[in-house]
Amino acid sequence: MDVFLADPSMLALASGVGVLVGFVLGLVGGGGSILAVPLLLYVVGVASPHMAIGTAAVGVAANAASGLVAHARAGTVKWRCAVVFSIAGIIGAYAGSSLGKAIDGDLLLAAFGGAMILIGIWTIVPKSSEDQPDVRLTLQSARALLPRLVPFGFGAGTAAGFFGIGGGFLIAPGLMAATHMPMRIAVGTSLVAVLAFGATTAANYAVSGLVNWPVAVAMIAGGVVGGFAGQRASKALGDAGNLLTIVFAVLVMCVGAFIIWQAL
Protein backbone atom coordinates (compact mmCIF):
# COMPACT_ATOMS: atom_id res chain seq x y z
CA MET A 1 0.00 0.00 0.00
CA ASP A 2 1.18 3.50 -0.78
CA VAL A 3 3.01 5.53 1.79
CA PHE A 4 0.76 8.50 2.55
CA LEU A 5 3.57 10.78 3.64
CA ALA A 6 4.20 13.59 1.18
CA ASP A 7 6.95 12.29 -1.09
CA PRO A 8 7.99 15.43 -3.03
CA SER A 9 8.90 13.53 -6.21
CA MET A 10 5.62 11.58 -6.23
CA LEU A 11 3.60 14.73 -5.60
CA ALA A 12 5.44 16.57 -8.37
CA LEU A 13 4.67 13.74 -10.79
CA ALA A 14 1.03 13.68 -9.65
CA SER A 15 0.77 17.41 -10.28
CA GLY A 16 2.22 16.88 -13.76
CA VAL A 17 -0.33 14.15 -14.42
CA GLY A 18 -3.07 16.55 -13.32
CA VAL A 19 -1.78 19.20 -15.73
CA LEU A 20 -1.81 16.69 -18.62
CA VAL A 21 -5.27 15.31 -17.81
CA GLY A 22 -6.71 18.81 -17.33
CA PHE A 23 -5.10 20.00 -20.57
CA VAL A 24 -6.65 17.13 -22.55
CA LEU A 25 -10.06 17.82 -20.98
CA GLY A 26 -9.82 21.49 -21.90
CA LEU A 27 -8.46 20.80 -25.37
CA VAL A 28 -10.80 18.11 -26.70
CA GLY A 29 -13.72 18.58 -24.32
CA GLY A 30 -13.59 15.25 -22.50
CA GLY A 31 -11.93 11.90 -22.10
CA GLY A 32 -8.84 13.12 -20.25
CA SER A 33 -9.78 11.28 -17.06
CA ILE A 34 -9.40 7.93 -18.85
CA LEU A 35 -5.64 8.60 -18.88
CA ALA A 36 -5.47 9.25 -15.13
CA VAL A 37 -5.37 5.60 -13.98
CA PRO A 38 -2.51 4.41 -16.24
CA LEU A 39 -0.56 7.61 -15.57
CA LEU A 40 -0.95 7.17 -11.80
CA LEU A 41 0.22 3.57 -12.09
CA TYR A 42 3.10 3.82 -14.54
CA VAL A 43 4.31 7.41 -14.07
CA VAL A 44 3.49 8.46 -10.50
CA GLY A 45 4.12 4.99 -9.05
CA VAL A 46 0.86 4.37 -7.20
CA ALA A 47 1.21 0.85 -5.86
CA SER A 48 -1.97 -0.92 -7.03
CA PRO A 49 -4.70 -0.66 -9.67
CA HIS A 50 -7.33 -0.29 -6.95
CA MET A 51 -5.45 2.60 -5.32
CA ALA A 52 -5.03 4.27 -8.72
CA ILE A 53 -8.74 3.97 -9.52
CA GLY A 54 -9.79 5.32 -6.11
CA THR A 55 -7.37 8.23 -6.34
CA ALA A 56 -8.35 9.03 -9.95
CA ALA A 57 -12.04 9.08 -8.97
CA VAL A 58 -11.37 11.96 -6.60
CA GLY A 59 -9.84 13.93 -9.47
CA VAL A 60 -12.75 13.04 -11.77
CA ALA A 61 -15.26 14.47 -9.29
CA ALA A 62 -13.21 17.65 -8.79
CA ASN A 63 -12.80 18.23 -12.53
CA ALA A 64 -16.54 17.74 -13.08
CA ALA A 65 -17.41 20.22 -10.32
CA SER A 66 -15.15 22.82 -11.88
CA GLY A 67 -16.65 22.35 -15.35
CA LEU A 68 -20.21 22.29 -14.05
CA VAL A 69 -19.93 25.83 -12.70
CA ALA A 70 -19.13 27.19 -16.16
CA HIS A 71 -21.94 25.24 -17.84
CA ALA A 72 -24.46 26.26 -15.19
CA ARG A 73 -23.64 29.91 -15.84
CA ALA A 74 -24.08 29.33 -19.57
CA GLY A 75 -27.51 27.75 -18.99
CA THR A 76 -26.59 24.42 -20.62
CA VAL A 77 -27.68 22.17 -17.73
CA LYS A 78 -31.09 20.47 -17.63
CA TRP A 79 -31.21 20.04 -13.86
CA ARG A 80 -34.26 17.78 -13.48
CA CYS A 81 -33.07 15.35 -16.13
CA ALA A 82 -29.60 15.44 -14.58
CA VAL A 83 -30.88 14.69 -11.07
CA VAL A 84 -32.97 11.68 -12.14
CA PHE A 85 -30.14 10.32 -14.31
CA SER A 86 -27.65 10.83 -11.48
CA ILE A 87 -29.75 9.20 -8.75
CA ALA A 88 -30.13 6.06 -10.85
CA GLY A 89 -26.43 6.23 -11.70
CA ILE A 90 -25.29 6.61 -8.10
CA ILE A 91 -26.82 3.21 -7.35
CA GLY A 92 -25.01 1.80 -10.37
CA ALA A 93 -21.73 3.53 -9.45
CA TYR A 94 -21.83 2.03 -5.96
CA ALA A 95 -22.52 -1.44 -7.36
CA GLY A 96 -19.85 -1.06 -10.06
CA SER A 97 -17.17 0.25 -7.71
CA SER A 98 -17.93 -2.49 -5.16
CA LEU A 99 -17.51 -5.10 -7.89
CA GLY A 100 -14.30 -3.43 -9.07
CA LYS A 101 -12.79 -3.58 -5.58
CA ALA A 102 -13.54 -7.30 -5.36
CA ILE A 103 -11.86 -8.20 -8.67
CA ASP A 104 -8.20 -9.17 -8.98
CA GLY A 105 -6.06 -6.14 -9.85
CA ASP A 106 -4.59 -7.60 -13.06
CA LEU A 107 -8.00 -8.68 -14.35
CA LEU A 108 -9.41 -5.25 -13.52
CA LEU A 109 -6.53 -3.61 -15.42
CA ALA A 110 -7.17 -5.81 -18.46
CA ALA A 111 -10.85 -4.84 -18.43
CA PHE A 112 -9.85 -1.19 -18.05
CA GLY A 113 -7.56 -1.47 -21.07
CA GLY A 114 -10.40 -2.96 -23.10
CA ALA A 115 -12.64 -0.08 -22.05
CA MET A 116 -9.98 2.41 -23.20
CA ILE A 117 -9.91 0.84 -26.67
CA LEU A 118 -13.71 1.02 -26.93
CA ILE A 119 -13.67 4.65 -25.75
CA GLY A 120 -11.04 5.51 -28.35
CA ILE A 121 -13.20 3.98 -31.09
CA TRP A 122 -16.31 5.79 -29.83
CA THR A 123 -14.45 9.12 -29.78
CA ILE A 124 -13.85 9.08 -33.55
CA VAL A 125 -17.25 7.68 -34.57
CA PRO A 126 -19.46 10.47 -36.04
CA LYS A 127 -22.26 11.48 -33.68
CA SER A 128 -25.81 12.37 -34.66
CA SER A 129 -27.81 14.86 -32.66
CA GLU A 130 -31.60 15.24 -32.51
CA ASP A 131 -32.05 18.87 -31.64
CA GLN A 132 -34.75 19.32 -28.97
CA PRO A 133 -33.17 22.01 -26.78
CA ASP A 134 -36.47 22.78 -25.01
CA VAL A 135 -36.91 19.29 -23.57
CA ARG A 136 -37.93 19.37 -19.88
CA LEU A 137 -38.80 16.77 -17.28
CA THR A 138 -42.31 17.67 -16.07
CA LEU A 139 -45.32 15.76 -14.79
CA GLN A 140 -46.55 15.59 -18.38
CA SER A 141 -43.27 14.39 -19.92
CA ALA A 142 -42.26 12.07 -17.04
CA ARG A 143 -44.16 9.10 -18.49
CA ALA A 144 -42.02 9.22 -21.63
CA LEU A 145 -38.69 10.36 -20.12
CA LEU A 146 -38.37 8.42 -16.85
CA PRO A 147 -38.38 4.91 -18.40
CA ARG A 148 -35.38 5.99 -20.49
CA LEU A 149 -33.49 8.19 -18.03
CA VAL A 150 -33.42 5.62 -15.22
CA PRO A 151 -31.92 2.59 -17.06
CA PHE A 152 -29.47 4.74 -19.03
CA GLY A 153 -28.36 6.39 -15.79
CA PHE A 154 -27.94 3.09 -13.97
CA GLY A 155 -25.91 1.57 -16.81
CA ALA A 156 -23.60 4.58 -17.18
CA GLY A 157 -23.08 4.77 -13.41
CA THR A 158 -22.20 1.08 -13.19
CA ALA A 159 -19.53 1.42 -15.87
CA ALA A 160 -18.16 4.63 -14.35
CA GLY A 161 -17.92 3.05 -10.91
CA PHE A 162 -16.39 -0.19 -12.13
CA PHE A 163 -13.63 1.50 -14.11
CA GLY A 164 -13.19 4.56 -11.87
CA ILE A 165 -13.69 6.99 -14.77
CA GLY A 166 -15.96 9.96 -15.32
CA GLY A 167 -18.14 8.10 -17.78
CA GLY A 168 -18.86 11.19 -19.87
CA PHE A 169 -18.40 9.09 -23.01
CA LEU A 170 -21.50 7.13 -21.90
CA ILE A 171 -23.44 9.80 -20.03
CA ALA A 172 -23.78 12.44 -22.77
CA PRO A 173 -24.96 9.93 -25.43
CA GLY A 174 -27.25 8.35 -22.84
CA LEU A 175 -28.87 11.70 -22.09
CA MET A 176 -29.25 12.39 -25.81
CA ALA A 177 -30.86 8.99 -26.41
CA ALA A 178 -33.20 9.38 -23.44
CA THR A 179 -34.31 12.98 -24.02
CA HIS A 180 -33.15 14.00 -27.55
CA MET A 181 -31.40 17.05 -26.11
CA PRO A 182 -28.62 18.48 -28.36
CA MET A 183 -24.98 17.62 -27.72
CA ARG A 184 -23.98 21.01 -26.25
CA ILE A 185 -26.69 20.69 -23.58
CA ALA A 186 -26.01 16.99 -23.00
CA VAL A 187 -22.33 17.77 -22.29
CA GLY A 188 -23.24 20.37 -19.65
CA THR A 189 -25.96 18.20 -18.12
CA SER A 190 -23.66 15.17 -18.05
CA LEU A 191 -21.29 16.91 -15.63
CA VAL A 192 -23.85 16.60 -12.84
CA ALA A 193 -23.75 12.82 -13.30
CA VAL A 194 -19.96 12.73 -13.70
CA LEU A 195 -19.64 14.58 -10.39
CA ALA A 196 -22.12 12.25 -8.69
CA PHE A 197 -20.58 9.04 -10.06
CA GLY A 198 -17.01 10.16 -9.35
CA ALA A 199 -17.86 11.15 -5.79
CA THR A 200 -19.67 7.85 -5.18
CA THR A 201 -16.77 5.80 -6.53
CA ALA A 202 -14.22 7.86 -4.59
CA ALA A 203 -16.19 7.47 -1.35
CA ASN A 204 -16.56 3.71 -1.83
CA TYR A 205 -12.81 3.31 -2.40
CA ALA A 206 -11.95 5.76 0.40
CA VAL A 207 -13.78 3.74 3.06
CA SER A 208 -11.51 0.82 2.11
CA GLY A 209 -8.40 3.00 2.38
CA LEU A 210 -7.87 2.97 -1.39
CA VAL A 211 -7.36 6.71 -2.00
CA ASN A 212 -3.94 8.36 -1.78
CA TRP A 213 -5.11 11.81 -0.69
CA PRO A 214 -1.84 13.78 -1.10
CA VAL A 215 -1.52 12.46 -4.65
CA ALA A 216 -5.18 13.25 -5.35
CA VAL A 217 -4.81 16.84 -4.11
CA ALA A 218 -1.64 17.36 -6.17
CA MET A 219 -3.38 15.97 -9.25
CA ILE A 220 -6.40 18.25 -8.77
CA ALA A 221 -4.16 21.31 -8.38
CA GLY A 222 -2.34 20.44 -11.60
CA GLY A 223 -5.66 19.84 -13.34
CA VAL A 224 -6.79 23.42 -12.69
CA VAL A 225 -3.70 24.77 -14.47
CA GLY A 226 -3.92 22.24 -17.29
CA GLY A 227 -7.63 22.81 -17.85
CA PHE A 228 -7.16 26.56 -18.23
CA ALA A 229 -4.29 26.04 -20.69
CA GLY A 230 -6.26 23.43 -22.65
CA GLN A 231 -9.28 25.70 -23.04
CA ARG A 232 -7.10 28.52 -24.37
CA ALA A 233 -5.32 26.16 -26.75
CA SER A 234 -8.66 24.80 -28.00
CA LYS A 235 -9.87 28.30 -28.88
CA ALA A 236 -6.59 29.13 -30.60
CA LEU A 237 -6.55 25.94 -32.68
CA GLY A 238 -10.15 26.21 -33.89
CA ASP A 239 -10.93 23.59 -36.54
CA ALA A 240 -7.66 21.77 -35.89
CA GLY A 241 -9.33 20.51 -32.71
CA ASN A 242 -11.01 17.75 -34.76
CA LEU A 243 -7.62 16.39 -35.78
CA LEU A 244 -6.44 16.55 -32.17
CA THR A 245 -9.48 14.53 -31.11
CA ILE A 246 -8.48 11.78 -33.54
CA VAL A 247 -4.89 11.85 -32.26
CA PHE A 248 -6.18 11.62 -28.69
CA ALA A 249 -8.42 8.66 -29.60
CA VAL A 250 -5.48 6.80 -31.15
CA LEU A 251 -3.38 7.53 -28.06
CA VAL A 252 -6.10 6.17 -25.78
CA MET A 253 -6.37 2.98 -27.83
CA CYS A 254 -2.59 2.47 -27.79
CA VAL A 255 -2.43 2.99 -24.02
CA GLY A 256 -5.34 0.56 -23.62
CA ALA A 257 -3.49 -2.09 -25.64
CA PHE A 258 -0.35 -1.52 -23.55
CA ILE A 259 -2.32 -1.95 -20.31
CA ILE A 260 -3.85 -5.22 -21.52
CA TRP A 261 -0.37 -6.48 -22.48
CA GLN A 262 1.03 -5.49 -19.07
CA ALA A 263 -1.87 -7.06 -17.18
CA LEU A 264 -1.95 -10.36 -19.06
Side-chain angles (χ1 to χ4, degrees):
M1 183 169 290
D2 291 55
V3 177
F4 282 75
L5 296 176
D7 180 342
S9 62
M10 177 178 267
L11 296 184
L13 288 171
S15 180
V17 165
V19 170
L20 178 59
V21 170
F23 183 80
V24 171
L25 284 168
L27 186 64
V28 301
S33 59
I34 193 69
L35 295 174
V37 170
L39 287 171
L40 287 173
L41 277 172
Y42 303 123
V43 175
V44 178
V46 173
S48 72
H50 295 102
M51 184 72 74
I53 288 175
T55 303
V58 177
V60 165
N63 285 333
S66 176
L68 180 59
V69 173
H71 279 276
R73 289 176 177 171
T76 54
V77 179
K78 296 286 185 179
W79 291 101
R80 293 178 184 175
C81 292
V83 168
V84 170
F85 194 96
S86 298
I87 290 173
I90 285 172
I91 300 171
Y94 178 79
S97 56
S98 297
L99 178 61
K101 288 194 299 183
I103 288 180
D104 174 75
D106 286 337
L107 181 60
L108 183 60
L109 265 188
F112 187 90
M116 289 187 73
I117 293 174
L118 292 176
I119 291 168
I121 294 171
W122 180 89
T123 300
I124 56 179
V125 171
K127 313 296 189 301
S128 61
S129 175
E130 299 182 52
D131 192 4
Q132 292 187 20
D134 296 327
V135 64
R136 293 181 61 203
L137 179 59
T138 64
L139 289 176
Q140 291 71 31
S141 64
R143 181 175 296 181
L145 293 179
L146 287 179
R148 299 199 296 265
L149 282 168
V150 171
F152 274 116
F154 180 82
T158 301
F162 183 76
F163 294 114
I165 56 179
F169 69 99
L170 288 173
I171 296 169
L175 285 167
M176 292 170 66
T179 67
H180 303 304
M181 64 177 65
M183 174 64 84
R184 63 181 182 85
I185 295 178
V187 169
T189 305
S190 72
L191 289 174
V192 178
V194 174
L195 171 58
F197 301 169
T200 302
T201 302
N204 199 0
Y205 273 77
V207 297
S208 301
L210 294 173
V211 173
N212 187 318
W213 290 104
V215 167
V217 171
M219 187 173 67
I220 291 169
V224 173
V225 177
F228 178 74
Q231 289 169 11
R232 297 198 64 176
S234 179
K235 291 178 181 178
L237 289 169
D239 293 338
N242 293 330
L243 177 60
L244 289 172
T245 298
I246 295 174
V247 172
F248 167 72
V250 173
L251 172 63
V252 166
M253 287 187 279
C254 290
V255 173
F258 172 77
I259 289 176
I260 294 174
W261 179 73
Q262 286 284 95
L264 299 181

